[in-house]
Amino acid sequence: MAVATVAALLAALGGALWLAARRFVGPSVKRLHRGGDSGLMHGKTVLITGANSGLGRATAAELLRLGARVIMGCRDRTRAEEAAVQLRREICQAGGPELGPDSSGAGELVVKELDLASLRSVRSFCQEVLQEEPRLDVLINNAGIFQCPYMKTEDGFEMQFGVNHLGHFLLTNLLLGLLKSSAPSRIVVVTSKLYKYGDINFEDLNSEQNYNKSFCYSRSKLANILFTRELARRLEGTNVTVNVLHPGMVRTNLGRHIHIPLLVKPLFNLVTWAFFKTPLEGAQTSIYLASSPEVEGVSGKYFGDCKEEELLPKAMDESVAGKLWDVSEVMVGILK
Ligand SMILES: NC(=O)c1ccc[n+]([C@@H]2O[C@H](COP(=O)([O-])OP(=O)(O)OC[C@H]3O[C@@H](n4cnc5c(N)ncnc54)[C@H](O)[C@@H]3O)[C@@H](O)[C@H]2O)c1
């Protein structure tokens, strides 16, 4: 019995050491893109959805450091204001540009309320942006919800499809005029590799007949890609580009709806610490697509780790992309 316990302890220790070593030498966690010189985004306005946590927060911090005026579109104003205070503090401590509404405009942080689960909120957010912002150089559709229990948005859509796809669909369409008048400008869409397990089942987009939370997340992420490709086609010749990326596996609070038994939690934390990227590492492709001169003029492409990647045929199906666009217009009530 004692021998078995010692063996189990040694195995656990060995496993932990191996994971720790993997964390430090593993290729998946290296930092990929620094974005170049600190003034790269000077004079540019970037809007990031879901910017108060995880990948969005890390993206906001880095683009601020590069001199951008960053608008954080966030569901919870209090949490977003707290995140903004922290971000300002971190950047000042790191010797970054002076932040605040009285600064020259470079490195400024603005918080605005945006609930992508409410078309009313998306519309009033966009109205505010259009009234207050003379330009918009980069829109980053980052916010997302992952494998939640069955819920509906304010407008009666299945939550993951409603937030991840439809909310961003309306937001982007309402801001297109401003993006066009600010061109060359960019749209960056955050999807997931899990798109592979989704399908656009037009007959039940609200999942009234059957709800499978994993399938619905994957479907919303497939919709992000089809939307990007259709939008790129529609934007040809406008000098507004749109690209989509997957960040890899990143240690954030995205899995808040997943129940992990208390006993398994330490092991889960160890595995994510060892194998998942940090938010800053995961945000590298968003930062790259938003700021790098290397991708000027590139549109309709799918990226991972700052490199173009291949898509499965279902994500390149133009007839599904076109139909999804038309159906989405009706769902969000865009008037022609
Ligand atoms: N973390 C990963 O491993 C991973 C992997 C693949 C894709 N992604 C994608 O990355 C993006 C960012 O996720 P994250 O990992 O940083 O998780 P996160 O939970 O830290 O960030 C998601 C953000 O979206 C916001 N959000 C959720 N619902 C919203 C709503 N109704 N209105 C406005 N904002 C809302 C949240 O408040 C939060 O700020 C998501 O689109 C996610 O699907 C993440």
Side-chain angles (χ1 to χ4, degrees), residues 49-56 73-76 79 114-118 141-146 159 163-164 190-193 217 221 224 246-256 276:
T49 65
N52 61 304
S53 66
L55 290 162
C74 300
R75 184 176 36 170
D76 185 324
R79 279 201 221 148
L114 166 67
D115 182 0
L116 289 156
S118 156
N141 289 343
N142 163 82
I145 181 161
F146 175 75
M159 187 60 79
V163 169
N164 300 355
V190 182
T191 184
S192 160
K193 273 187 180 172
Y217 178 72
K221 292 291 150 181
N224 287 160
H246 74 80
M249 291 192 301
V250 191
R251 225 177 316 132
T252 66
N253 283 329
L254 189 68
R256 58 176 68 75
F276 284 29

Side-chain angles (χ1 to χ4, degrees), residues 69-135:
R69 169 180 164 81
V70 175
I71 304 169
M72 303 168 71
C74 300
R75 184 176 36 170
D76 185 324
R77 181 176 276 280
T78 316
R79 279 201 221 148
E81 295 284 6
E82 283 166 14
V85 168
Q86 269 180 14
L87 276 174
R88 287 192 188 100
R89 196 177 303 135
E90 283 167 24
I91 287 169
C92 285
Q93 280 166 358
E98 273 297 301
L99 297 173
D102 300 324
S103 73
S104 62
E108 191 178 335
L109 198 52
V110 180
V111 172
K112 288 192 194 294
E113 213 167 300
L114 166 67
D115 182 0
L116 289 156
S118 156
L119 298 180
R120 190 174 38 87
S121 168
V122 175
R123 286 184 188 281
S124 71
F125 172 84
C126 290
Q127 205 173 4
E128 208 179 309
V129 170
L130 294 174
Q131 269 164 10
E132 292 174 10
E133 301 295 330
R135 59 181 305 109

Side-chain angles (χ1 to χ4, degrees), residues 62-246:
E62 203 68 355
L63 293 174
L64 266 172
R65 283 195 186 94
L66 295 176
R69 169 180 164 81
V70 175
I71 304 169
M72 303 168 71
C74 300
R75 184 176 36 170
D76 185 324
R77 181 176 276 280
T78 316
R79 279 201 221 148
E81 295 284 6
E82 283 166 14
V85 168
Q86 269 180 14
L87 276 174
R88 287 192 188 100
R89 196 177 303 135
E90 283 167 24
I91 287 169
C92 285
Q93 280 166 358
E98 273 297 301
L99 297 173
D102 300 324
S103 73
S104 62
E108 191 178 335
L109 198 52
V110 180
V111 172
K112 288 192 194 294
E113 213 167 300
L114 166 67
D115 182 0
L116 289 156
S118 156
L119 298 180
R120 190 174 38 87
S121 168
V122 175
R123 286 184 188 281
S124 71
F125 172 84
C126 290
Q127 205 173 4
E128 208 179 309
V129 170
L130 294 174
Q131 269 164 10
E132 292 174 10
E133 301 295 330
R135 59 181 305 109
L136 180 59
D137 300 278
V138 185
L139 166 64
I140 306 184
N141 289 343
N142 163 82
I145 181 161
F146 175 75
Q147 298 196 5
C148 55
Y150 191 68
M151 289 190 260
K152 283 187 171 175
T153 65
E154 190 178 286
D155 309 276
F157 307 131
E158 184 278 313
M159 187 60 79
Q160 300 185 74
F161 192 70
V163 169
N164 300 355
H165 170 61
L166 290 173
H168 283 122
F169 178 85
L170 179 62
L171 178 86
T172 309
N173 272 287
L174 294 179
L175 296 177
L176 265 189
L178 186 56
L179 284 155
K180 283 182 186 165
S181 66
S182 314
S185 53
R186 301 177 182 191
I187 302 165
V188 177
V189 177
V190 182
T191 184
S192 160
K193 273 187 180 172
L194 294 177
Y195 85 83
K196 292 173 186 171
Y197 306 105
D199 264 312
I200 308 297
N201 54 337
F202 287 106
E203 72 292 346
D204 191 21
L205 285 179
N206 254 345
S207 307
E208 307 274 6
Q209 294 154 27
N210 179 23
Y211 182 64
N212 176 319
K213 60 183 181 181
S214 326
F215 170 82
C216 286
Y217 178 72
S218 296
R219 175 178 66 182
S220 73
K221 292 291 150 181
L222 174 61
N224 287 160
I225 302 175
L226 292 164
F227 162 71
T228 301
R229 291 180 55 82
E230 175 67 17
L231 182 58
R233 199 183 61 73
R234 289 170 183 248
L235 287 173
E236 270 169 30
T238 61
N239 238 344
V240 182
T241 60
V242 53
N243 290 293
V244 60
L245 70 107
H246 74 80

